[in-house]
Amino acid sequence: MSLINRDTDYAIRALCFMAKNKKKFISAKELVRDLKIPRPFLRKILQTLNKRRVLRSYKGKSGGFVLVQPPKKIFVMDLVRIFQGGVKLRECIFKKKPCPNIRTCLLSRKLKEIEGKVISQLEVISIASLAGEIK
Amino acid sequence: MSLINRDTDYAIRALCFMAKNKKKFISAKELVRDLKIPRPFLRKILQTLNKRRVLRSYKGKSGGFVLVQPPKKIFVMDLVRIFQGGVKLRECIFKKKPCPNIRTCLLSRKLKEIEGKVISQLEVISIASLAGEIK
DNA sequence: AACAAATGATACCATATTAGTATCATTTGT
DNA sequence: ACAAATGATACTAATATGGTATCATTTGTT
Ligand code: FES
Ligand code: FES
Protein backbone atom coordinates (compact mmCIF):
# COMPACT_ATOMS: atom_id res chain seq x y z
CA MET A 1 0.00 0.00 0.00
CA SER A 2 3.05 2.18 -0.25
CA LEU A 3 2.42 5.64 -1.57
CA ILE A 4 5.42 5.46 -3.83
CA ASN A 5 6.62 2.39 -5.64
CA ARG A 6 10.12 1.32 -6.43
CA ASP A 7 10.35 3.09 -9.73
CA THR A 8 9.44 6.36 -8.11
CA ASP A 9 11.72 5.72 -5.20
CA TYR A 10 14.69 4.90 -7.39
CA ALA A 11 13.98 7.92 -9.54
CA ILE A 12 14.00 10.15 -6.48
CA ARG A 13 17.32 8.74 -5.36
CA ALA A 14 18.85 9.16 -8.77
CA LEU A 15 17.64 12.73 -9.07
CA CYS A 16 18.87 13.58 -5.58
CA PHE A 17 22.29 12.28 -6.49
CA MET A 18 22.31 14.38 -9.61
CA ALA A 19 21.15 17.42 -7.69
CA LYS A 20 24.05 17.10 -5.31
CA ASN A 21 26.62 16.33 -7.95
CA LYS A 22 27.47 19.41 -9.93
CA LYS A 23 29.26 17.58 -12.69
CA LYS A 24 27.76 18.12 -16.12
CA PHE A 25 27.05 14.61 -17.37
CA ILE A 26 26.25 11.76 -15.09
CA SER A 27 26.23 8.27 -16.52
CA ALA A 28 24.10 5.35 -15.49
CA LYS A 29 27.32 3.69 -14.39
CA GLU A 30 28.01 6.26 -11.74
CA LEU A 31 24.47 6.14 -10.46
CA VAL A 32 24.55 2.38 -10.22
CA ARG A 33 27.76 2.54 -8.24
CA ASP A 34 26.39 5.05 -5.81
CA LEU A 35 22.80 3.96 -5.44
CA LYS A 36 23.19 0.19 -5.57
CA ILE A 37 20.21 -0.20 -7.82
CA PRO A 38 20.19 -3.06 -10.35
CA ARG A 39 21.64 -1.60 -13.50
CA PRO A 40 19.05 -2.58 -16.13
CA PHE A 41 16.32 -1.38 -13.85
CA LEU A 42 17.93 1.98 -13.30
CA ARG A 43 18.48 2.43 -16.98
CA LYS A 44 14.83 1.83 -17.66
CA ILE A 45 13.95 4.51 -15.16
CA LEU A 46 16.41 6.98 -16.62
CA GLN A 47 14.97 6.33 -20.04
CA THR A 48 11.50 7.27 -18.99
CA LEU A 49 12.78 10.31 -17.13
CA ASN A 50 14.33 11.35 -20.39
CA LYS A 51 11.14 10.79 -22.34
CA ARG A 52 9.21 12.84 -19.84
CA ARG A 53 11.87 15.52 -19.98
CA VAL A 54 12.78 15.54 -16.33
CA LEU A 55 16.30 15.08 -17.54
CA ARG A 56 17.98 14.96 -20.89
CA SER A 57 20.16 12.16 -22.18
CA TYR A 58 23.22 12.35 -24.36
CA LYS A 59 24.35 9.31 -26.23
CA GLY A 60 27.81 8.33 -27.25
CA LYS A 61 31.06 8.03 -25.44
CA SER A 62 31.24 10.22 -22.35
CA GLY A 63 27.53 10.78 -22.68
CA GLY A 64 25.10 10.62 -19.80
CA PHE A 65 22.24 12.50 -18.21
CA VAL A 66 21.68 16.10 -17.21
CA LEU A 67 18.88 17.64 -15.19
CA VAL A 68 16.67 19.88 -17.27
CA GLN A 69 15.18 21.80 -14.38
CA PRO A 70 16.57 22.98 -11.07
CA PRO A 71 15.94 20.51 -8.22
CA LYS A 72 13.70 23.03 -6.51
CA LYS A 73 11.26 22.69 -9.37
CA ILE A 74 11.07 18.92 -9.49
CA PHE A 75 8.44 17.55 -7.13
CA VAL A 76 7.75 14.09 -5.84
CA MET A 77 4.24 14.33 -7.19
CA ASP A 78 5.62 14.78 -10.71
CA LEU A 79 7.45 11.50 -10.38
CA VAL A 80 4.46 9.76 -8.90
CA ARG A 81 2.48 10.84 -11.93
CA ILE A 82 5.13 9.59 -14.29
CA PHE A 83 5.76 6.22 -12.71
CA GLN A 84 2.44 5.45 -11.09
CA GLY A 85 -0.04 7.42 -13.06
CA GLY A 86 -0.93 9.53 -10.05
CA VAL A 87 -2.38 8.77 -6.67
CA LYS A 88 -5.58 6.81 -6.54
CA LEU A 89 -6.45 6.00 -3.00
CA ARG A 90 -9.96 5.05 -3.92
CA GLU A 91 -10.55 2.22 -6.31
CA CYS A 92 -14.14 1.15 -6.22
CA ILE A 93 -14.59 -2.57 -5.80
CA PHE A 94 -17.01 -2.64 -8.66
CA LYS A 95 -14.55 -2.68 -11.49
CA LYS A 96 -16.96 -1.35 -14.04
CA LYS A 97 -16.11 2.26 -14.45
CA PRO A 98 -17.78 4.54 -13.90
CA CYS A 99 -19.33 3.08 -10.79
CA PRO A 100 -23.08 3.60 -10.72
CA ASN A 101 -22.95 4.41 -7.02
CA ILE A 102 -20.25 7.01 -7.24
CA ARG A 103 -22.57 9.92 -6.61
CA THR A 104 -24.18 8.45 -3.56
CA CYS A 105 -21.22 6.59 -2.13
CA LEU A 106 -20.20 8.37 1.05
CA LEU A 107 -17.08 6.31 1.49
CA SER A 108 -15.86 7.25 -1.92
CA ARG A 109 -16.46 10.87 -1.12
CA LYS A 110 -14.46 10.77 2.10
CA LEU A 111 -11.58 8.90 0.54
CA LYS A 112 -11.50 11.39 -2.26
CA GLU A 113 -10.98 14.16 0.25
CA ILE A 114 -8.09 12.34 1.83
CA GLU A 115 -6.61 11.67 -1.57
CA GLY A 116 -6.72 15.35 -2.42
CA LYS A 117 -4.84 16.26 0.72
CA VAL A 118 -2.20 13.64 0.11
CA ILE A 119 -1.65 14.88 -3.40
CA SER A 120 -1.24 18.46 -2.31
CA GLN A 121 1.32 17.36 0.23
CA LEU A 122 3.28 15.44 -2.37
CA GLU A 123 3.16 18.43 -4.63
CA VAL A 124 5.35 20.51 -2.35
CA ILE A 125 8.11 17.99 -1.67
CA SER A 126 10.92 18.96 -4.00
CA ILE A 127 14.02 17.03 -4.93
CA ALA A 128 16.02 19.90 -3.51
CA SER A 129 14.40 19.41 -0.13
CA LEU A 130 15.28 15.73 -0.19
CA ALA A 131 18.81 16.08 -1.46
CA GLY A 132 20.12 17.98 1.55
CA GLU A 133 21.54 16.50 4.68
CA ILE A 134 19.32 16.05 7.67
CA LYS A 135 19.07 19.13 9.82
CA MET B 1 -2.44 1.62 -4.13
CA SER B 2 -5.91 1.85 -2.73
CA LEU B 3 -6.09 2.94 0.87
CA ILE B 4 -8.58 0.26 1.70
CA ASN B 5 -8.62 -3.22 0.24
CA ARG B 6 -11.54 -5.42 -0.57
CA ASP B 7 -11.78 -7.04 2.81
CA THR B 8 -12.05 -3.68 4.48
CA ASP B 9 -14.44 -2.42 1.87
CA TYR B 10 -16.74 -5.41 2.17
CA ALA B 11 -16.58 -5.17 5.94
CA ILE B 12 -17.64 -1.55 5.80
CA ARG B 13 -20.58 -2.40 3.58
CA ALA B 14 -21.66 -5.24 5.79
CA LEU B 15 -21.46 -3.12 8.91
CA CYS B 16 -23.36 -0.29 7.26
CA PHE B 17 -26.12 -2.68 6.35
CA MET B 18 -26.27 -3.92 9.90
CA ALA B 19 -26.27 -0.38 11.23
CA LYS B 20 -29.29 0.49 9.13
CA ASN B 21 -31.14 -2.73 9.82
CA LYS B 22 -32.53 -2.76 13.30
CA LYS B 23 -33.33 -6.45 13.35
CA LYS B 24 -31.58 -8.37 16.08
CA PHE B 25 -29.75 -11.13 14.21
CA ILE B 26 -28.52 -10.75 10.71
CA SER B 27 -27.34 -13.82 8.86
CA ALA B 28 -24.66 -14.08 6.24
CA LYS B 29 -27.39 -15.08 3.84
CA GLU B 30 -29.15 -11.75 4.12
CA LEU B 31 -25.93 -9.85 3.72
CA VAL B 32 -25.00 -11.79 0.63
CA ARG B 33 -28.37 -11.07 -0.89
CA ASP B 34 -28.10 -7.37 -0.24
CA LEU B 35 -24.43 -6.70 -0.85
CA LYS B 36 -23.77 -9.05 -3.74
CA ILE B 37 -20.51 -10.20 -2.23
CA PRO B 38 -19.35 -13.78 -2.91
CA ARG B 39 -20.68 -15.79 -0.04
CA PRO B 40 -17.57 -17.66 1.19
CA PHE B 41 -15.63 -14.46 1.08
CA LEU B 42 -18.15 -12.55 3.13
CA ARG B 43 -18.29 -15.33 5.67
CA LYS B 44 -14.56 -15.17 6.13
CA ILE B 45 -14.82 -11.46 6.77
CA LEU B 46 -17.63 -11.88 9.25
CA GLN B 47 -15.60 -14.49 11.05
CA THR B 48 -12.72 -12.18 11.60
CA LEU B 49 -15.03 -9.37 12.64
CA ASN B 50 -16.33 -11.76 15.25
CA LYS B 51 -12.86 -12.68 16.47
CA ARG B 52 -11.96 -9.05 16.78
CA ARG B 53 -15.20 -8.37 18.55
CA VAL B 54 -16.57 -5.81 16.21
CA LEU B 55 -19.63 -7.99 16.14
CA ARG B 56 -20.73 -11.12 17.87
CA SER B 57 -21.85 -14.30 16.18
CA TYR B 58 -24.50 -16.75 17.23
CA LYS B 59 -24.45 -20.25 15.90
CA GLY B 60 -27.30 -22.57 15.27
CA LYS B 61 -30.56 -22.27 13.48
CA SER B 62 -31.78 -18.69 13.24
CA GLY B 63 -28.38 -17.55 14.39
CA GLY B 64 -26.44 -14.72 12.85
CA PHE B 65 -24.47 -11.63 13.72
CA VAL B 66 -25.08 -8.67 15.98
CA LEU B 67 -23.14 -5.44 16.33
CA VAL B 68 -21.37 -5.19 19.64
CA GLN B 69 -20.88 -1.44 19.57
CA PRO B 70 -23.00 1.41 18.27
CA PRO B 71 -22.12 2.40 14.69
CA LYS B 72 -20.91 5.78 15.90
CA LYS B 73 -18.10 4.05 17.70
CA ILE B 74 -16.85 1.87 14.88
CA PHE B 75 -14.31 3.67 12.72
CA VAL B 76 -12.89 2.92 9.33
CA MET B 77 -9.43 2.99 10.80
CA ASP B 78 -10.36 0.11 13.14
CA LEU B 79 -11.25 -1.99 10.14
CA VAL B 80 -8.13 -0.99 8.28
CA ARG B 81 -6.12 -2.18 11.25
CA ILE B 82 -7.97 -5.46 11.36
CA PHE B 83 -7.86 -6.31 7.69
CA GLN B 84 -4.73 -4.56 6.53
CA GLY B 85 -2.61 -4.30 9.63
CA GLY B 86 -2.78 -0.52 9.55
CA VAL B 87 -1.68 2.08 7.08
CA LYS B 88 1.90 1.94 5.91
CA LEU B 89 2.46 4.47 3.23
CA ARG B 90 6.20 4.19 3.52
CA GLU B 91 7.83 0.88 2.87
CA CYS B 92 11.52 1.33 2.47
CA ILE B 93 12.91 -0.31 -0.61
CA PHE B 94 15.62 -1.93 1.40
CA LYS B 95 13.67 -4.83 2.75
CA LYS B 96 15.96 -5.41 5.66
CA LYS B 97 14.22 -3.93 8.61
CA PRO B 98 15.08 -1.76 10.29
CA CYS B 99 16.54 0.28 7.49
CA PRO B 100 19.96 1.64 8.39
CA ASN B 101 19.12 4.96 6.76
CA ILE B 102 15.87 5.51 8.53
CA ARG B 103 17.18 8.27 10.74
CA THR B 104 18.70 10.29 7.96
CA CYS B 105 16.20 9.55 5.22
CA LEU B 106 14.32 12.74 4.50
CA LEU B 107 11.86 11.06 2.19
CA SER B 108 10.90 8.60 4.85
CA ARG B 109 10.38 11.44 7.25
CA LYS B 110 8.07 13.33 4.92
CA LEU B 111 6.06 10.27 4.03
CA LYS B 112 5.67 9.46 7.68
CA GLU B 113 4.07 12.86 8.22
CA ILE B 114 1.61 12.25 5.43
CA GLU B 115 0.86 8.83 6.80
CA GLY B 116 0.05 10.29 10.20
CA LYS B 117 -2.41 12.72 8.71
CA VAL B 118 -4.12 10.04 6.69
CA ILE B 119 -4.49 7.86 9.75
CA SER B 120 -6.03 10.61 11.80
CA GLN B 121 -8.51 11.26 9.03
CA LEU B 122 -9.49 7.61 8.87
CA GLU B 123 -9.88 7.57 12.61
CA VAL B 124 -12.84 9.91 12.50
CA ILE B 125 -14.89 8.25 9.76
CA SER B 126 -17.49 6.20 11.57
CA ILE B 127 -19.77 3.53 10.21
CA ALA B 128 -22.67 5.70 11.29
CA SER B 129 -21.46 8.50 9.06
CA LEU B 130 -21.29 6.13 6.12
CA ALA B 131 -24.57 4.36 6.69
CA GLY B 132 -26.75 7.40 6.16
CA GLU B 133 -28.15 8.63 2.91
CA ILE B 134 -26.32 11.29 1.03
CA LYS B 135 -27.27 14.76 2.13
C1' DA C 1 -33.02 -38.15 18.77
C1' DA C 2 -32.68 -36.51 14.16
C1' DC C 3 -32.35 -32.79 11.14
C1' DA C 4 -31.63 -28.40 9.12
C1' DA C 5 -29.64 -24.05 9.24
C1' DA C 6 -26.55 -21.37 10.84
C1' DT C 7 -21.28 -20.19 11.96
C1' DG C 8 -15.96 -21.83 12.83
C1' DA C 9 -11.66 -23.18 11.00
C1' DT C 10 -8.53 -23.96 7.51
C1' DA C 11 -6.43 -25.16 3.31
C1' DC C 12 -6.28 -24.37 -1.37
C1' DC C 13 -6.28 -22.16 -6.13
C1' DA C 14 -6.25 -18.45 -9.67
C1' DT C 15 -5.17 -14.09 -11.19
C1' DA C 16 -2.99 -9.66 -11.27
C1' DT C 17 0.66 -6.76 -10.08
C1' DT C 18 5.22 -5.77 -9.33
C1' DA C 19 10.10 -6.38 -9.47
C1' DG C 20 13.77 -7.51 -12.04
C1' DT C 21 16.50 -9.43 -16.37
C1' DA C 22 18.12 -10.00 -21.00
C1' DT C 23 18.99 -8.65 -25.66
C1' DC C 24 19.91 -6.08 -29.48
C1' DA C 25 19.95 -1.49 -31.88
C1' DT C 26 21.64 3.30 -32.17
C1' DT C 27 24.58 7.18 -31.32
C1' DT C 28 29.03 9.55 -30.86
C1' DG C 29 33.82 10.90 -29.23
C1' DT C 30 38.49 9.33 -30.04
C1' DA D 1 36.91 1.27 -36.67
C1' DC D 2 35.94 0.86 -31.98
C1' DA D 3 34.44 1.50 -27.38
C1' DA D 4 31.31 3.46 -24.36
C1' DA D 5 27.41 5.35 -23.69
C1' DT D 6 21.91 5.38 -24.22
C1' DG D 7 17.21 3.61 -26.77
C1' DA D 8 13.74 0.21 -27.25
C1' DT D 9 11.44 -3.79 -26.09
C1' DA D 10 10.37 -8.34 -24.74
C1' DC D 11 10.65 -11.70 -21.25
C1' DT D 12 10.74 -14.07 -16.56
C1' DA D 13 10.22 -14.53 -11.56
C1' DA D 14 8.34 -13.41 -7.24
C1' DT D 15 4.75 -11.70 -4.45
C1' DA D 16 0.30 -10.12 -3.15
C1' DT D 17 -4.45 -10.30 -3.70
C1' DG D 18 -8.87 -12.03 -4.51
C1' DG D 19 -11.67 -15.82 -4.34
C1' DT D 20 -13.17 -20.98 -3.54
C1' DA D 21 -13.90 -25.41 -1.35
C1' DT D 22 -14.43 -28.51 2.45
C1' DC D 23 -15.45 -30.24 6.67
C1' DA D 24 -16.42 -29.51 11.70
C1' DT D 25 -19.32 -27.48 15.34
C1' DT D 26 -23.34 -25.45 17.38
C1' DT D 27 -28.28 -25.02 18.26
C1' DG D 28 -33.39 -24.35 17.50
C1' DT D 29 -37.26 -27.21 15.85
C1' DT D 30 -39.88 -31.18 15.14
S1 FES E 1 -19.54 1.67 -4.59
FE1 FES E 1 -18.50 2.40 -6.37
S2 FES E 1 -17.75 4.26 -5.60
FE2 FES E 1 -18.65 3.46 -3.79
S1 FES F 1 16.28 4.38 2.68
FE1 FES F 1 15.35 3.11 4.17
S2 FES F 1 14.00 4.55 5.06
FE2 FES F 1 14.82 5.78 3.44
Side-chain angles (χ1 to χ4, degrees), chain B residues 27-124:
Chain B
S27 68
K29 197 174 183 179
E30 290 173 88
L31 288 166
V32 165
R33 188 166 43 223
D34 190 79
L35 303 173
K36 298 179 180 71
I37 299 174
R39 185 184 147 84
F41 201 11
L42 177 63
R43 289 206 48 226
K44 194 164 60 173
I45 288 164
L46 289 168
Q47 283 178 17
T48 81
L49 285 173
N50 174 48
K51 275 188 203 141
R52 306 295 292 265
R53 276 299 124 93
V54 174
L55 43 71
R56 185 156 215 146
S57 71
Y58 293 89
K59 285 183 172 183
K61 197 166 179 176
S62 77
F65 301 87
V66 183
L67 290 184
V68 166
Q69 292 196 307
K72 289 162 204 69
K73 292 198 175 171
I74 309 171
F75 298 97
V76 170
M77 192 58 211
D78 301 331
L79 302 170
V80 169
R81 290 209 181 88
I82 290 172
F83 291 103
Q84 307 171 217
V87 169
K88 292 185 219 63
L89 293 183
R90 169 61 180 158
E91 279 175 24
C92 177
I93 57 163
F94 299 116
K95 313 249 177 165
K96 287 311 243 184
K97 306 180 199 290
C99 170
N101 307 347
I102 192 84
R103 292 189 46 235
T104 56
C105 181
L106 288 169
L107 178 59
S108 175
R109 182 175 291 200
K110 305 249 185 190
L111 290 176
K112 206 81 190 167
E113 280 175 39
I114 295 177
E115 184 180 292
K117 288 181 189 166
V118 168
I119 290 172
S120 55
Q121 288 173 87
L122 291 177
E123 265 167 348
V124 298

Side-chain angles (χ1 to χ4, degrees), chain A residues 90-96 98-109, chain B residues 9 13:
Chain A
R90 170 62 181 158
E91 280 176 24
C92 177
I93 56 165
F94 299 117
K95 313 249 179 168
K96 287 311 241 182
C99 170
N101 307 346
I102 192 83
R103 292 189 45 235
T104 56
C105 181
L106 287 170
L107 178 59
S108 175
R109 181 175 293 200
Chain B
D9 194 316
R13 284 162 206 273

Side-chain angles (χ1 to χ4, degrees), chain A residues 12 16 20 76 125-133, chain B residues 106-108 110:
Chain A
I12 291 172
C16 281
K20 282 190 277 194
V76 170
I125 304 178
S126 69
I127 290 298
S129 77
L130 296 175
E133 283 301 308
Chain B
L106 288 169
L107 178 59
S108 175
K110 305 249 185 190

